[in-house]
Amino acid sequence: MPRSTHEPRLNLAGRMGRWSAAHWKTATFGWLAVVIVAFGLGGAIGTKTIDPNTAGPGESGRMDRILDAGFKQPAHESVLIQSSSGNTDDPAFRTAIRDVVHGISGVAVVQHVRSPLAPGNEGQLAKDGHSALVEFDIRGDKDSAVDKIGPVLDKVDELQKAHPELYVGEFGDASAVDGINTAFASDLQKAGLFSLPITLIILIAAFGALVAAGIPLLLGLTAVFGTFGLVALPSHLLPIAPEASAMVLLIGLAVGVDYSMFYLRRVREERAAGRSERAAIEAAASTSGHSVLVAGVTVIAAMAGMFLTGDGTFASFAVATILVVAMAMLGSLTVLPALLSRLGAKVNRGRVPLVGRLRGEHSEGRVWGAIVDRVLRRPVVSVVVAGGLLVALAIPAAQLRMVQSGPDTFPQDLAVVKTYNRMQDAFPGSGLPANVVVKAADVNAPAVRDAIGRLKAQALASGRVHEPVTVDVNRAATVANVTLPIDGTGTDDASVAALATLRDDVVPQTVGALPDAESGVTGVPAQWKDSTDHMKSTFPLVVAFVLVFAFGLMLVAFRSIVIAAKAILLNLLSVAAAYGVLVLVFQHGFAQGLLGFGTTSGIDPVVPLLLFVILFGLSMDYHVLIISRIREAYDQGASMDDAISVGIKRTAGVVTSAAMVMVGVFSIFAVLSMLMFKQFGVGLATAILIDATIVRAVLLPASMKLLGEWNWYLPTWLQWLPAGERHAPTSEVEPAPVA
């Protein structure tokens, strides 16, 4: 556990900073050129997005591939006509049905209109006599149906105005996607609109000057815009999910602002200590710049874990976030020292006097210093209390239940959701039915027809399937698609039980028993369940990958097996506590009224995995910065206690400010309309808050105090590891705290 004896020298980050400062024009305009060219190139070639109808995992995925190969399935739509008092036998009601059939049939993109008044379509009339369904298809491929649905929705609105005494609304494959996409885009627009001013306000409070506050924000934004263009290149090999743009904005702003703050704060500190402008930039590049490099590589490794899910959406998230982190890291190590070199003392222009007086130059350090001093005096008590609190918060995480986002999790004021809810009451299961697919040499053969008939009879007899049951056969008569409305909302226990009845009992006893035939269950509820099961099965693999790579990177960076192991343990505590808060809020209903959500069925399967990789990556930023500063002080001759105290106090301001930016931005998502966004925002904001306070200010210093010199322990069999590049300027010695 020796102190570093390396001669002071510039590491990679230091050399990059020195070159950029000496060639500020090349670095600055080169960065702008990269961003502009990347953005323009991306716009020119276009970004290829994921086909939402791509077959997924499991049994539903296999059946979807059979359907796609057997015949092109059009987008199915339904118009609900409903009266609160009238009956479907009333002349006025029947006139409305005919008007809807005639009006919808006149829209060019509509085909195969099926009237509930036609013989054989009695199942489209509700048993209560107050509702009817007019069913139809959208011409062309299902993939492009959402682009064609606009005129149909306009016609339905006209029909509603023509019959104000009735409810006339549409729900189906294309209209549902259109409605949800509209709500999704609205939420993202709000997040982008509010995140920038919140970030700028916090940065002004942190730096007390407009120019200094604007630099991190501008660097983060240029990294984001450059990534928007760069992501188009790999999208033609790996299509990108539409949600990836939100990930780029979130992660890009977070790491771009963080890395810039680390760098800028260190330059200010070095200047205040009497260093020249060039020496201050060089020192910051070799210390904070090196921390940025290590932290950035760790974040990239964490994001790469999403590739292991085998899911196209998560793989596209990995590509997008890796690119934006790399861009932010490159900008921080090149254009930032170039700008600081050019601006010099002008970086402090635009001072906000009131903010400057309120914040004080060392106020944050004094506050955290008082906390750290008490923690170091009573390390055992600190570990027990802080660790106990995190464990208590983490206990509810054992009850975490992953549930796909169904209609009950979407904004209930959406027109398609209102129509779906009414359809679900009048025609249970018709909005999100299950589909039994049968593939055989001839599905019109008597034996196959008989098996499909028994399938229908047994399914209805189970009480979990409802009319109308329909059967579609492709032109080659090799594939049959049996549509079965089932209990539940598509994601709840009733739907899961209905799927289990079909898969375990009904299908094996009927079409599943046919020789030389293939059969299975698909449909939106089955797809959701199979996707959730797949996510659960791959989640441990992602966790293991991230833990192993993070441990290895920390081990190499600090040449200490204790530091690496402790970083993993502390981050796991943060994640577990965040999971526990998610369960308390979104499964047990704490703060349900405040956040404005209706269902407490469970957590969207996307959230736990995203939360894990993002938190693990971002929290390493703080950890690397703090440990680097502690090690720097230790290598310069400070005792272990003094090094801990100096490291925490010197980084307290930047860690607090960076955490405030993240908590502020992530909190915006907690008040958006989509439940998945609420869960994502609450989970990340809580995790970052816990990590930047309880973990970094209490557990980290207390554990380091207890371990003492063992913090830097490296077994002899690992001495072959390369010595990490550190830089400790000879003219700077960390002062020991005054007793």
Side-chain angles (χ1 to χ4, degrees):
M1 297 170 284
R3 300 176 189 268
S4 174
T5 57
H6 296 294
E7 289 298 321
R9 62 186 178 87
L10 285 180
N11 52 30
L12 175 61
R15 293 193 295 273
M16 293 175 71
R18 169 185 280 180
W19 183 90
S20 298
H23 306 83
W24 74 268
K25 285 185 178 180
T26 304
T28 303
F29 292 106
W31 170 256
L32 292 176
V34 167
V35 172
I36 293 170
V37 169
F39 191 75
L41 184 62
I45 67 174
T47 301
K48 185 178 180 181
T49 57
I50 290 177
D51 178 4
N53 299 306
T54 301
E59 180 180 320
S60 62
R62 294 194 301 273
M63 295 304 104
D64 287 337
R65 283 185 282 274
I66 290 176
L67 283 177
D68 290 340
F71 51 88
K72 288 295 182 181
Q73 291 285 296
H76 298 293
E77 293 288 322
S78 299
V79 174
L80 174 69
I81 308 165
Q82 192 173 67
S83 173
S84 58
S85 57
N87 194 281
T88 54
D89 293 329
D90 294 342
F93 200 113
R94 296 208 160 212
T95 298
I97 292 175
R98 294 188 185 96
D99 288 348
V100 170
V101 171
H102 177 74
I104 293 298
S105 300
V107 181
V109 299
V110 171
Q111 65 179 356
H112 303 152
V113 180
R114 300 174 289 279
S115 170
L117 303 180
N121 291 345
E122 293 80 8
Q124 293 170 222
L125 296 172
K127 293 180 180 180
D128 63 6
H130 297 296
S131 305
L133 287 178
V134 175
E135 299 181 343
F136 58 95
D137 300 329
I138 303 298
R139 294 183 187 276
D141 292 341
K142 191 175 183 179
D143 303 349
S144 59
V146 69
D147 299 324
K148 306 173 184 177
I149 199 65
V152 185
L153 294 172
D154 293 340
K155 176 57 68 174
V156 172
D157 289 340
E158 291 179 16
L159 292 165
Q160 172 66 88
K161 293 175 182 177
H163 298 277
E165 74 282 2
L166 301 173
Y167 179 87
V168 182
E170 182 179 355
F171 180 84
D173 296 331
S175 56
V177 172
D178 178 74
I180 299 305
N181 284 349
T182 300
F184 191 90
S186 176
D187 274 356
L188 291 184
Q189 186 177 14
K190 291 177 184 175
L193 181 65
F194 290 109
S195 62
L196 296 182
I198 287 177
T199 301
L200 183 59
I201 290 171
I202 295 173
L203 289 173
I204 291 174
F207 290 107
L210 295 177
V211 174
I215 290 176
L217 185 59
L218 287 174
L219 182 62
L221 287 176
T222 52
V224 167
F225 280 107
T227 304
F228 282 157
L230 286 178
V231 80
L233 300 177
S235 74
H236 292 272
L237 296 176
L238 179 66
I240 302 297
E243 302 88 345
S245 59
M247 296 291 295
V248 168
L249 177 62
L250 271 177
I251 304 303
L253 274 181
V255 298
V257 168
D258 272 11
Y259 297 164
S260 301
M261 290 181 71
F262 294 172
Y263 214 111
L264 192 52
R265 277 292 187 95
R266 186 61 186 255
V267 170
R268 275 187 155 193
E269 183 182 324
E270 297 294 337
R271 290 286 287 152
R275 286 182 175 274
S276 67
E277 177 185 307
R278 183 61 57 88
I281 292 174
E282 189 176 296
S286 296
T287 52
S288 293
H290 180 67
S291 298
V292 165
L293 190 61
V294 174
V297 173
T298 307
V299 174
I300 288 173
M303 299 305 173
M306 289 188 280
F307 284 120
L308 300 181
T309 61
D311 180 86
T313 297
F314 278 103
S316 70
F317 286 170
V319 170
T321 51
I322 287 173
L323 284 175
V324 77
V325 171
M327 284 289 287
M329 185 169 60
L330 179 63
S332 298
L333 296 176
T334 56
V335 72
L336 185 57
L339 286 175
L340 295 178
S341 172
R342 180 69 180 91
L343 289 172
K346 296 177 183 177
V347 74
N348 294 317
R349 281 188 173 180
R351 285 192 175 274
V352 184
L354 180 60
V355 172
R357 288 195 298 271
L358 289 176
R359 62 184 290 276
E361 195 60 35
H362 303 289
S363 58
E364 292 154 322
R366 286 196 297 268
V367 172
W368 286 112
I371 295 173
V372 171
D373 288 344
R374 286 165 173 77
V375 166
L376 294 179
R377 282 199 296 267
R378 298 177 178 83
V380 175
V381 174
S382 300
V383 168
V384 170
V385 173
L389 177 60
L390 291 186
V391 170
L393 285 174
I395 288 174
Q399 303 170 1
L400 191 146
R401 183 171 60 253
M402 294 188 192
V403 177
Q404 276 283 359
S405 297
D408 54 337
T409 69
F410 299 140
Q412 297 301 297
D413 58 348
L414 288 178
V416 288
V417 174
K418 290 179 180 178
T419 302
Y420 168 81
N421 290 334
R422 288 173 176 263
M423 284 178 59
Q424 188 68 10
D425 292 337
F427 302 91
S430 60
L432 297 172
N435 296 85
V436 174
V437 178
V438 183
K439 181 182 180 182
D442 181 9
V443 295
N444 287 325
V448 180
R449 282 288 186 184
D450 177 66
I452 292 175
R454 287 186 285 112
L455 166 72
K456 177 180 178 180
Q458 288 190 30
L460 291 172
S462 71
R464 301 187 185 277
V465 176
H466 311 277
E467 292 281 8
V469 177
T470 60
V471 181
D472 294 318
V473 177
N474 68 340
R475 291 183 179 181
T478 57
V479 178
N481 181 20
V482 185
T483 302
L484 302 157
I486 61 174
D487 282 344
T489 62
T491 60
D492 58 6
D493 293 340
S495 294
V496 172
L499 284 173
T501 299
L502 289 174
R503 284 177 164 174
D504 300 339
D505 300 324
V506 177
V507 170
Q509 295 172 13
T510 55
V511 294
L514 289 169
D516 301 321
E518 188 175 354
S519 60
V521 182
T522 184
V524 173
Q527 292 164 0
W528 283 346
K529 184 179 186 306
D530 292 345
S531 177
T532 302
D533 292 344
H534 177 74
M535 197 65 62
K536 291 178 181 177
S537 66
T538 57
F539 187 59
L541 186 62
V542 175
V543 170
F545 174 88
V546 173
L547 294 183
V548 169
F549 264 79
F551 179 85
L553 288 170
M554 295 295 290
L555 179 63
V556 172
F558 294 102
R559 287 179 55 83
S560 166
I561 198 168
V562 175
I563 291 294
K566 192 164 53 179
I568 300 300
L569 179 61
L570 292 179
N571 278 8
L572 285 176
L573 269 176
S574 296
V575 173
Y579 284 173
V581 172
L582 278 179
V583 171
L584 290 174
V585 174
F586 294 103
Q587 290 183 205
H588 296 292
F590 288 93
Q592 183 175 359
L594 178 65
L595 295 174
F597 59 92
T599 179
T600 56
S601 56
I603 310 300
D604 191 293
V606 171
V607 172
L609 192 146
L610 274 183
L611 184 66
F612 177 81
V613 296
I614 292 175
L615 175 64
F616 224 88
L618 296 184
S619 63
M620 280 297 183
D621 290 351
Y622 306 146
H623 199 82
V624 169
L625 178 70
I626 295 171
I627 295 297
S628 296
R629 203 62 192 270
I630 292 173
R631 181 74 205 204
E632 183 182 332
Y634 181 79
D635 286 344
Q636 291 172 357
S639 66
M640 193 67 236
D641 286 5
D642 290 346
I644 295 170
S645 180
V646 166
I648 297 291
K649 291 176 182 178
R650 291 288 179 88
T651 57
V654 69
V655 169
T656 302
S657 301
M660 286 175 62
V661 169
M662 290 196 195
V663 171
V665 171
F666 293 146
S667 295
I668 296 172
F669 281 74
V671 298
L672 299 180
S673 61
M674 305 289 283
L675 183 62
M676 187 195 79
F677 283 153
K678 291 180 183 291
Q679 294 174 349
F680 186 71
V682 169
L684 276 177
T686 301
I688 294 296
L689 187 61
I690 289 172
D691 191 78
T693 54
I694 298 175
V695 173
R696 305 304 161 197
V698 180
L699 279 178
L700 177 61
S703 61
M704 293 192 77
K705 164 74 174 180
L706 291 173
L707 290 169
E709 298 288 331
W710 285 98
N711 282 293
W712 315 117
Y713 173 69
L714 184 70
T716 53
W717 53 274
L718 286 176
Q719 293 295 329
W720 57 269
L721 287 173
E725 285 190 310
R726 289 191 296 271
H727 177 76
T730 55
S731 60
E732 177 191 20
V733 178
E734 301 282 3
V738 178

